[in-house]
Structure formats: C-alpha cells, structure tokens
Amino acid sequence: MDVVDNPAEWTAFSRVASADGGCWESTVVIEGMHCAACTMVVEDALRSVPGVRAARVSAASQRAQVIWSQDLAKPSDWMHAVQAAGYRAVPANDVFAQARRKAQSRKALWQWLVAGLCMMQVMMYAWPAYQARPGDLALEYEQLLRWASWALSLPVMLFSCGPFFGKAWADVRHARISMDLPVALGMGITFAASTAGTFDPAGVFGREVYFDSLTMFVFFLLTGRWLELRLRDRTAGALEALMNRMPDSVLRRAADGSFERVAVRRLAVDDLMQVHAGETFAADGVIVQGTTQVDESLLTGESHALQRGVGEAVIAGAHNLTGTVLVRAQTVGASTRFAQMVGLMESASLTKPGAAQLADRWAKPFLMGVLLAAAGAAMWWWPHDPAHALMVAVAVLVVTCPCALSLATPAAMLAAAGTLARSGLLVRSLPALETLAAADTVVFDKTGTLTSDTMGLQSVVCRPGLHRDTALACAAGLAAQSLHPVSRALVQAAQREGVAPWHVHAVHEVAGQGVHAEVDGAWRSGGVAAGVCRLGAATFCAGDVPQVGGDAAQGPVVHLGDSTGWVASFFLQEALREDAQQVVRTLQALGVGVHLVSGDRVEAVHAMAHRLGIAQVRGACSPSDKLAYVRHLQAAGHVVAMVGDGLNDAPVLAGANVSFAFGRAVPIAQSRCDFIAMGDTLGTVAFAWGLARKTLRVVRQNLWWALAYNAACIPLAVAGYLPAWLAGLGMACSSLLVVLNALRLSSPAHASPAKVPTGRASHAGPMVLRPQE
C-alpha cells in the first residue's frame, strides 16, 4: 500500500477533482462483489473513512469511483477499509490485476471441480438409502454410508464453500448483511444438522441426512457464479479492452539520439517516441518520420486501416499495423483523447439507472425479509419435524437470493454501452439509454452534423478597395480561435492559398453567433486602423450586408465586420454526409419525428431539409431560439433528442431530454452530452436508437423473470415443496439467465451500425437496423 500513497503514482489511477488540487477522483476495481447488497457494503465502507467525500460502486462493472481529500486521507486508508469489509480494491490500471483475476478464476474452477467430484460420490452413497425398502439396508451399512458422505462433504465445506463463509464472517463482524450471509447460513445449517444425524442416529436429526443436497446446491451455486462472472466480464468488455490497450512503456529518444524505454507516465509534450509495427501509440502526436497504417477501430468505430504519413496525426490507443514511425508527442497523460474516453466510460459504468437504484435501495431490506421468512418457516415446521423444518429454512435462504434482481438492469445497460463504444459512440450515463428508448422526436443541427466537417471556400465578396487576401487573413485569424466547422474551413482555405492569418487577442466567442477580437496591424488597403473585428452571422457583424443570389447563396455564409461595418462575406460549399438521408429515413420508419434547426440562413436550411425529406424545419436560429424550439416540443409532450456539434449547441444539448455530440472536434472533457460520437458515421445515432429500445425490452424481460422467479419459488420453499438442492439450482439458473439475456446485446450482430451503400443514398429504402429485431 506504500506505493499507492506516493503522490507521483496517483495520476496513474486518479485525476484532480477540484480547482485547488486538494481533492482527487480515483477509479478502482473491486474484487469479490456479486450483487447489489455487496455494492452497498463497499460504499458504506468507503464513506466511513474520514476524508472520503463521495463513493459510487457498480456490481455489474466491478468498479468504484472514490472522491477523497489528500489532506485528510490517503489511498491506502480507503483501500484498507474495503479490504476490512471482505473485498479488495486495486487501481483500475493495475498491471497485476489481470494475472490476479486469472489466479482467482483458476481457484474458482478448482473449487467447482472439488464440489462436483464430491457431489457425484455423495450422490452414489445416498442412492441406496433412497432405493432401499424397509429392512433391505442393514443399520451398520446405512451408518457407514453416512460416514462416507460426511467425509466427502468436508472438502466441500472447507475448500469449495470458502468464498461464501469468508464473506459471511465479514458480515457478522461488521453487523451487516449481504447475499453471502443467508447462503452461508443455509450451508452451515444443512451440514450441522446432517453431522448431528451422522454422529447421533438416534437423535432428533438422525432420521435423515442431507449431504447430497448440500454438495449438490454448493455445486450449482459455484457453477452459476463462475459462469456469471465470465459472462459479466464480457458485458463490460469494451472498457477492459480500452484499459488494456495502452502500453506500459514506450521508446523515447534521448538527447544523444539513442532510444530508451521509459514508463508512459514519464512521457512529456514534444518528446519523440519510436513506435514499431504491432505496438500501440502512447500519446496523441504527429508523425515526423516514416509511414504506416493504423487501426483506430476501438476508438472511433472506423473498421478500415488508415494510412498515416509525415505530418499526419495519430491518437493514443491506436494500433500501429505496418511500419516503424517516429512520433512527436503533442498531448500526453490525462489530456489525451484516449484518457478522456476511458474516464468517460468509467464514469458511465458507475451510473445507475432508476431500476438499478431501486434494486440497490431494497436489497438490504429484502435480505432481512429473507432471514425473517426462513426463521418463520422453520418455526412453523419445527413441531412437525425439526429436521424438515431446518431444510425448509435452508431452501428459503438459498432460493430468495436477489442476485438476478440486482443484475437485471445494469447487466443489460453495460452490454449495450459496450456495443455502442465498439461502434464509435460513447455513453456518458447509462440512464440516457432509458431516455433514448422513450424518445419520440429528434432535432438535428445542420452544419457539421448532417453535413460533413470538411467544407470548401467557394467565393469571397469584399467591400470596395479591400483585397481578397487581406479579408481572408483577418478572417482566418479570428476563425482559428473557434472549433466550428465553418471556422475550420476558413483556416484551411487560408493555408491552401498561402495566406498567413493575422494575430488577434482579447478573443471572445458568442455561441451560435460568432467570434470577435482585437486585430493587430492595419488593413493592407483602405487605411483602416486595427481594432475590434467580428466574424459570424450577419446580425453579429454591424453594417449592411449585400445580398448575393445564385448558387453561392445556397451554402453557409459567414461575414466579417469591423467598427465601421461590413467588411467581407465568405461563401462556402458543404456536402451532406453520405449516410444522412438514410439515417433520416430510418428514424422516420421507427416512428420518430425528425426536425431540423440551424443558425444558417433560412434559404440554405430549407434547401437542405428538402433534400433530406424533413418537413419540420427552422432556420436563422440563435442558441436561445433552438432551446425555445426544443422547450416547445417538450411542452407538447414529446421526449426530445438533440444531435449537434457539442460546442455551439451547448444550451440546446443541455436542455434536450437526451443529446448527441457529433464530430471529432468535440473535446470530450468539455462536452456534457449523453452520447459522444467518435467517428464520422451519422448512422451511429439511428443504431443507438434501435439498440436502446431493444435494451429496454431486455431490461423488462430480466426484471419480469427475476420477479416471477421469486414470486413462484418463495411460496414453494416455505410450503416445503422445494428441496435445498433444487433451490440452489434455481438461484444459479436465475442469475445466469439474466446475464445471458443481457449478453445478446453485445453479440456480433450488434457490433456495428448498418452500413450505407455509397452513392445510392437517394434511392435506397429505409435502413434496416438489427437491434430492432
């Protein structure tokens, strides 16, 4: 634990959570959790540590998020608290975590094998007692078979039942309850009663022993738990795949030109790193030597290898496929897009949908009710047959375990989030999937969302006496301060034409309107002194803007103005994304109302809507106009999803019921959207819609199954019609069925959105999405 208390190591599994740097947010893996009651135990243990401000735990993802004050606590303090509670907390990027999980998996497999072998032998010894008629089996032979069954049950109790008894003892010591306590009580009661019957055949428990039932339901429980953990790892596999993608070290070029291998956390901006074929890029950077192909599929959803050469960017987490390249690091550590993706997915995996929060809230009261029901059933049956009364109590303790109920919602949500992540769409919060499934209206922004990020400068109209290059230089200087697609197009146009952008300062961007700043220098012609200039919409730039007709008026237009009025207008060409028309048709086929709102000119917006077949359209909208439009739809009873660029549409994205930030220029750390698209495929929006609806159906199926199982089996157990071994089998199968049902959402059939045939979008029918099936 001394290592994790070293502040130099905190950045490996934590990030600063306060402006003054006094609080840290750490993500750790919690080993040994199985149900909602376990999460409550771990959360209580973490929150009891002085200095821990907040803690969130998810049983489905096996992770915890801890916010703590470095002045009052150390990581070892709250890690020890988790360990004292009977669990283990390790940093999410612990290099030994995978080896430890393999060792635990092997031990669990051995426990299962021992339980299975002993169960078969005990069943063989119990068979004569079940088949023999009165007088067929001599008393000494019957006693010998009981002793043999007792001896074979010992390895099961001492070795195979270890996980159950260990957690139950921790519950007793800390005066709490989890699912392992009633299960361990059932095992202990069965073994104690059967042992009493073996040592004292003439006693109250001597009429019958239950070693066969004991070994059988232990075997079934271990089978279900082992398979459940394996399947649960697959549902959260996208996060694990991302976490394991980064290398531990990298080759960095030293001052003398040689290369040394250093830890990734020691990498700094402007360092040169050598990346060989088969290795992973450890930082965002630009290639300065060599060419290669890279695989960004896990980060952007792009399935094809991408060619990268000198001067082109590579991103952390991408896989180098073919050649050795020299890369200059531009962004390292927690600032990389990869690190932001991991942080987003970790945060999402810890959010709890409403149904999961309800299950967590009722887990402890439910388990208390289980103990009372078992005690009541035992008291009811005791006067008739004490041995049978104990076995009825055991059946009640085992069959009512709430594992299936607590896993019903998060298992399905995590599986869906993992599938979307592999498709290039990150989920910020799991409850957003519930909202998206219920959404009946989508509002699209136009520029950079329905249209591609790349635009071309078509023409420039300047006021008399002003040279085109001068206007473009000033506009590029202002545009360089914005991430809007139009701004990027102006900067790229200046670069292509060899025009150097002017230097600006005191920059301020008004969302949905434009950017203004003070410009250094003077106009090259016209003799206008430097001052405040504006770049943006016509209403944002003072002065009379000339009217231009023809084809140029159909595309986006941005205007430049100074203190005297209008200076220049820049007309750009934009192209629809190749899958935009298909996505609109698919959503309409799903019964979703499609709307288009944009800050662009009314003529351009209506022309775009006509091409896409969108009837509800609004142009020349400010950010407040867009928000008012969404509020009007919500007031009419609609559940609205907004798809925008993530920055200029921030108010309306925040005001919608559920929102998508689209485009690679969106800083993940700044965006507060529910879904963030990492690639360039608009089809992920329609894909997410279909998958969200199927996810909600799976959640409902899981909940109904879990509730129906408990409603049917509890009365049977109390009435004495459900033997202990069948109770164990039912419990294992119940949890397993829930996880298997959730796993359908992460099957290969749902691994990526349907592809749109290039060049035939206008003639194709509605896109068929497999998640709707």
Side-chain angles (χ1 to χ4, degrees), residues 408-730:
T409 300
M413 292 291 183
L414 275 176
T419 299
L420 290 175
R422 288 189 291 272
S423 303
L425 189 68
L426 299 186
V427 183
R428 181 174 288 278
S429 66
L430 296 182
L433 286 168
E434 291 181 302
T435 308
L436 182 61
D440 59 2
T441 304
V442 60
V443 177
F444 282 102
D445 179 44
K446 180 177 75 72
T447 305
T449 304
L450 290 172
T451 62
S452 61
D453 285 341
T454 55
M455 301 183 190
L457 181 59
Q458 184 177 7
S459 61
V460 181
V461 178
C462 303
R463 69 184 179 187
L466 183 65
H467 194 274
R468 179 184 187 279
D469 288 351
T470 303
L472 183 57
C474 181
L478 291 165
Q481 314 304 314
S482 172
L483 289 175
H484 194 278
V486 170
S487 297
R488 296 201 303 274
L490 288 176
V491 173
Q492 292 167 1
Q495 291 174 346
R496 284 193 300 268
E497 298 182 20
V499 176
W502 285 15
H503 296 289
V504 300
H505 56 89
V507 180
H508 180 67
E509 184 173 6
V510 180
Q513 294 294 312
V515 58
H516 64 79
E518 292 188 18
V519 178
D520 295 332
W523 298 103
R524 294 181 184 177
S525 61
V528 181
V532 176
C533 291
R534 295 171 176 266
L535 180 72
T539 55
F540 184 70
C541 302
D544 294 329
V545 177
Q547 298 294 323
V548 178
D551 294 338
Q554 298 302 313
V557 182
V558 63
H559 305 280
L560 178 66
D562 63 3
S563 57
T564 64
W566 172 80
V567 173
S569 296
F570 303 87
F571 296 86
L572 298 102
Q573 285 181 321
E574 61 182 350
L576 274 176
R577 294 186 185 273
E578 64 176 13
D579 57 350
Q581 194 168 34
Q582 283 294 83
V583 169
V584 170
R585 291 184 178 184
T586 300
L587 292 173
Q588 290 171 340
L590 287 171
V592 177
V594 181
H595 299 245
L596 173 61
V597 296
S598 175
D600 205 350
R601 294 171 301 109
V602 173
E603 298 85 355
V605 178
H606 277 273
M608 181 70 69
H610 179 71
R611 291 174 61 187
L612 292 172
I614 299 176
Q616 295 81 16
V617 57
R618 183 79 60 87
C621 292
S622 66
S624 58
D625 294 334
K626 294 179 183 179
L627 181 58
Y629 187 82
V630 168
R631 295 290 191 210
H632 174 73
L633 292 173
Q634 291 171 330
H638 295 289
V639 180
V640 181
M642 178 69 198
V643 185
D645 63 16
L647 289 176
N648 297 287
D649 297 320
V652 67
L653 289 170
N657 299 95
V658 62
S659 55
F660 292 79
F662 204 86
R664 294 191 183 188
V666 181
I668 296 177
Q670 297 179 22
S671 174
R672 304 309 302 172
C673 295
D674 300 299
F675 300 90
I676 298 177
M678 303 301 297
D680 293 324
T681 305
L682 193 63
T684 54
V685 175
F687 175 71
W689 218 297
L691 187 62
R693 291 185 175 183
K694 180 166 186 178
T695 300
L696 202 60
R697 288 197 297 270
V698 169
V699 167
R700 288 170 179 162
Q701 291 167 3
N702 284 350
L703 289 173
W704 277 112
W705 161 253
L707 291 171
Y709 159 77
N710 280 281
C713 292
I714 291 176
L716 291 175
V718 172
Y721 292 117
L722 195 68
W725 67 267
L726 189 56
L729 178 61

Side-chain angles (χ1 to χ4, degrees), residues 114 191 235:
V114 168
F191 184 74
T235 62

